[in-house]
Amino acid sequence: MSCLGGVALLVACQGQISSPDGAQPGAGPEMNTSGSGSVMQPDLPRPAVGTFAGPIVTTPSTTTRFMRLNHRQWENTVRDVLKLSAPTNLSNSFVAEPLRSTFDTNGAVLSVSADTFKDYQNAAESLGTTVSKDAAIKSRLSPQADATSFIKNLGKRAFRRPLTDAEVTATKALFDKGKALVGSGDDFADGVQLVSDYFFQSPHFIYREELSSGAAGAKVALNAYEVASKLAYAVIGSMPDDALFAAADAGALSTRDQVVAEVKRLLGTQGAKDSLLDFHDQLLVMRGYDNIHKNDTFPGFGEGVAEDLRQEAKHFIQDIVFQQDHGFTTLMTAPYTFANARVRGLYGLENQAPAGANATDFVKLQLDPTQRAGLLTQIGFLASNGEQATPNIIIRGVHIARKIMCAALPPPPMNVPPLPAQDPKSTNRQRVELATKDAPCNGCHSTIINPLGVALEHLDGVGRYRTMDNGQLVDSTSTYIIDDKPVAIAGAVELANAIATSDQAHACYAQNMAEYLYGRVINRDTDNQLVQQGGWLSHDKESLQNLVVNLLATDAFLTRIQ
């Protein structure tokens, strides 16, 4: 029998922790060169729940020494190198890149194709022209209009480290050729144009480098500028700011306390808010909201709904993470959201607008705590994983299993037929269970996918709460193995609470967070202690900001194996 509905089982399937993209332990995405170390790490004894406060103690891994910037990081870095007030948006014309890892911050799997190189070259030439003609930019980089100071200042910012004497000499020779090669009559501007063009298409700009070295197999501590750069791209998605450069200049990034202080400072910036929102955007696959297409029966789902639903989630996340300094538990369980007029209408709560609120304002909206809890019951997640008004049990279950529980699932086979149409006398749940009841489908569906998906059956394909399906009572009860124990679940709220109180889900969240911050695949075998302790910290101290600080103040982040 063929497995229906989008996911099938080719091998025996178990609900173990794995890579968050569903790969088996030890497997990375194609082209991954980051590595994850070679020493298997044993499980650690779990301290009493509620007592673990860090620090996270880890061992370093073998990693790539050249991490290519993704398009968002490139755009942010150009803005900050030149100290612009807004992005240039030059990256909007870059060739789109396939997502080869769970998060697009994994620079180890990003390459420079012929098309990408051309994009970089064109952008660099455009930037060179802009800088040469902009008196304010030139003045910021060299107030005295001196070639050597301009080269040193722009070079340090573009390469995220001071230039060597040899680099300064070679670049000065290029600068001096501006008069002949550009010939505008302004010798300084012409040199600026050539040098800027060079810096912005140099591999030292396009890649984040870790050039510190040591004996083969030895632990190598990153130098101060490498630590500053790695911290900056992890937390704010851009180059080091002036304070971080100053810390590197002073050699003040060599101790845990110094690193912790800088991370805490960076978490107070807008760049950090943008990065942690970007993390959740990718974790929840919010790009999928653009594919929400409902028919005229659901007029609220017209043009602009995708962006409204993303804003709902992002206002919710920002409130919990930065206003309340909470984390994963609250993200999964909070019985409220943030909504504008359209989103309130989708919840059927049009009349709950606060006094004085504009139709476009996203303001706090209390939800029924017996029906909804956290991100998994928001309209965006539900509607993007629904077929018109019918919930998609399988896709919802797969998403939660892979991204929230880090359960190992094999990829679906090719040419999987769609689910059959729902029989007028059956429920959606009965349809899915009938289609996936036989081997080999049942190995994954009966124990991992379907129990998670059916827990959301009271919330239909457009996110409305319902009690009936095809004239029958909705059954959202199931049993799921969490923390190696069967847990009875009845509905979305119980599912959210079961997830929020489990070490497994917190470990998965920490694993995802570490992968986003570290810019490499986190392997559940060789990075086991990192994942375990990160999960305990997320569970025991309810603060995502605290988790980020501790994940970045580790040997696994600040050192590597040669």
Side-chain angles (χ1 to χ4, degrees):
M1 163 181 178
S2 296
C3 291
L4 303 174
V7 175
L9 178 67
L10 301 181
V11 294
C13 195
Q14 300 177 8
Q16 71 222 53
I17 297 284
S18 75
S19 296
D21 60 358
Q24 296 295 333
E30 184 181 359
M31 295 180 62
N32 176 42
T33 58
S34 65
S36 298
S38 58
V39 179
M40 296 282 286
Q41 297 179 8
D43 284 345
L44 298 171
R46 171 66 156 109
V49 174
T51 64
F52 186 75
I56 297 173
V57 180
T58 62
T59 56
S61 298
T62 54
T63 62
T64 184
R65 299 171 70 179
F66 301 94
M67 305 285 289
R68 209 211 79 191
L69 305 185
N70 64 28
H71 293 346
R72 173 177 174 267
Q73 292 167 339
W74 184 96
E75 191 70 67
N76 289 345
T77 306
V78 167
R79 178 199 64 203
D80 295 340
V81 165
L82 300 177
K83 297 189 175 183
L84 305 176
S85 60
T88 66
N89 295 321
L90 288 169
S91 64
N92 291 351
S93 64
F94 288 1
V95 62
E97 297 179 310
L99 187 62
R100 297 190 178 111
S101 189
T102 305
F103 300 101
D104 66 9
T105 55
N106 187 351
V109 302
L110 297 176
S111 60
V112 179
S113 66
D115 288 338
T116 308
F117 173 77
K118 190 65 176 176
D119 287 336
Y120 288 149
Q121 185 179 49
N122 291 338
E125 291 173 355
S126 176
L127 290 168
T129 300
T130 297
V131 176
S132 71
K133 295 180 177 180
D134 192 314
I137 296 176
K138 287 183 289 188
S139 179
R140 286 197 292 269
L141 292 168
S142 179
Q144 290 77 39
D146 173 71
T148 299
S149 68
F150 177 85
I151 289 166
K152 288 182 176 180
N153 290 336
L154 180 60
K156 180 180 180 180
R157 298 183 68 77
F159 291 2
R160 281 86 71 180
R161 59 167 175 79
L163 300 184
T164 65
D165 290 343
E167 287 173 325
V168 173
T169 299
T171 309
K172 177 62 166 58
L174 176 64
F175 188 101
D176 291 340
K177 293 179 181 179
K179 179 178 180 180
L181 295 177
V182 180
S184 72
D186 184 336
D187 294 351
F188 183 75
D190 293 347
V192 164
Q193 181 172 338
L194 287 186
V195 167
S196 300
D197 187 344
Y198 156 64
F199 280 141
F200 284 116
Q201 60 183 300
S202 168
H204 299 293
F205 173 76
I206 294 168
Y207 287 84
R208 180 177 62 76
E209 306 165 325
E210 295 180 2
L211 300 180
S212 297
S213 61
K219 181 170 79 170
V220 177
L222 305 183
N223 69 40
Y225 294 101
E226 291 166 351
V227 170
S229 186
K230 194 171 185 180
L231 287 175
Y233 283 102
V235 182
I236 62 175
S238 187
M239 60 171 283
D241 61 9
D242 290 345
L244 201 48
F245 264 140
D249 291 340
L253 292 172
S254 59
T255 69
R256 172 183 164 80
D257 287 346
Q258 290 170 335
V259 170
V260 166
E262 283 301 315
V263 176
K264 287 182 176 179
R265 181 186 65 79
L266 290 172
L267 283 169
T269 67
Q270 184 59 46
K273 293 180 174 66
D274 293 342
S275 288
L276 290 182
L277 289 174
D278 179 61
F279 162 75
H280 289 96
D281 187 307
Q282 295 192 53
L283 182 68
L284 294 170
V285 197
M286 290 188 204
R287 63 185 178 276
Y289 295 5
D290 288 327
N291 299 322
I292 297 174
H293 298 294
K294 307 298 180 182
N295 60 36
D296 293 342
T297 307
F298 311 106
F301 286 90
E303 183 178 353
V305 69
E307 184 56 31
D308 279 354
L309 295 175
R310 277 190 287 266
Q311 288 301 317
E312 174 196 2
K314 290 181 177 182
H315 278 80
F316 177 78
I317 293 163
Q318 182 162 303
D319 175 76
I320 288 170
V321 173
F322 290 101
Q323 299 303 315
Q324 300 184 49
D325 193 20
H326 286 184
F328 182 71
T329 298
T330 307
L331 290 170
M332 287 292 104
T333 59
Y336 57 83
T337 190
F338 286 77
N340 63 4
R342 188 213 300 256
V343 175
R344 286 193 296 272
L346 296 178
Y347 282 101
L349 299 172
E350 299 90 337
N351 299 324
Q352 291 198 20
N358 294 322
T360 56
D361 292 341
F362 281 83
V363 293
K364 195 169 186 178
L365 178 68
Q366 295 294 331
L367 303 173
D368 186 334
T370 68
Q371 298 178 0
R372 298 184 191 270
L375 286 166
L376 298 182
T377 63
Q378 288 186 356
I379 299 289
F381 176 79
L382 298 168
S384 63
N385 295 305
E387 308 161 63
Q388 297 302 325
T390 302
N392 193 320
I393 290 172
I394 294 174
I395 299 302
R396 289 178 178 182
V398 167
H399 182 99
I400 298 169
R402 282 184 169 163
K403 298 294 183 74
I404 307 299
M405 305 304 292
C406 288
L409 290 173
M414 299 296 290
N415 302 318
V416 177
L419 282 167
Q422 186 171 340
D423 188 286
K425 297 181 180 179
S426 73
T427 65
N428 183 47
R429 174 175 182 163
Q430 291 166 346
R431 173 179 69 141
V432 171
E433 290 180 340
L434 179 64
T436 59
K437 68 181 178 62
D438 297 324
C441 307
N442 58 352
C444 272
H445 281 273
S446 64
T447 59
I448 301 176
I449 299 171
N450 295 359
L452 295 170
V454 301
L456 301 178
E457 271 295 272
H458 276 293
L459 297 165
D460 70 12
V462 292
R464 301 172 303 189
Y465 189 83
R466 63 178 188 166
T467 58
M468 305 294 291
D469 179 14
N470 257 359
Q472 300 184 48
L473 288 172
V474 170
D475 179 7
S476 62
T477 61
S478 64
T479 299
Y480 192 75
I481 303 298
I482 302 178
D483 292 346
D484 298 322
K485 300 174 184 177
V487 177
I489 298 167
V493 175
E494 288 194 10
L495 173 63
N497 287 321
I499 289 171
T501 55
S502 74
D503 277 347
Q504 180 179 345
H506 282 276
C508 182
Y509 189 67
Q511 180 176 340
N512 280 310
M513 191 76 254
E515 179 159 336
Y516 183 88
L517 296 171
Y518 285 35
R520 68 170 174 87
V521 170
I522 300 298
N523 184 289
R524 188 58 174 87
D525 291 331
T526 55
D527 293 307
N528 187 43
Q529 292 181 0
L530 171 68
V531 173
Q532 280 189 309
Q533 294 171 80
W536 298 340
L537 196 62
S538 173
H539 195 171
D540 294 1
K541 181 171 174 55
E542 227 270 287
S543 166
L544 173 56
Q545 294 187 66
N546 180 67
L547 175 62
V548 169
V549 169
N550 279 273
L551 286 172
L552 298 182
T554 63
D555 275 356
F557 184 80
L558 300 171
T559 68
R560 60 178 177 79
I561 295 296
Q562 179 71 11

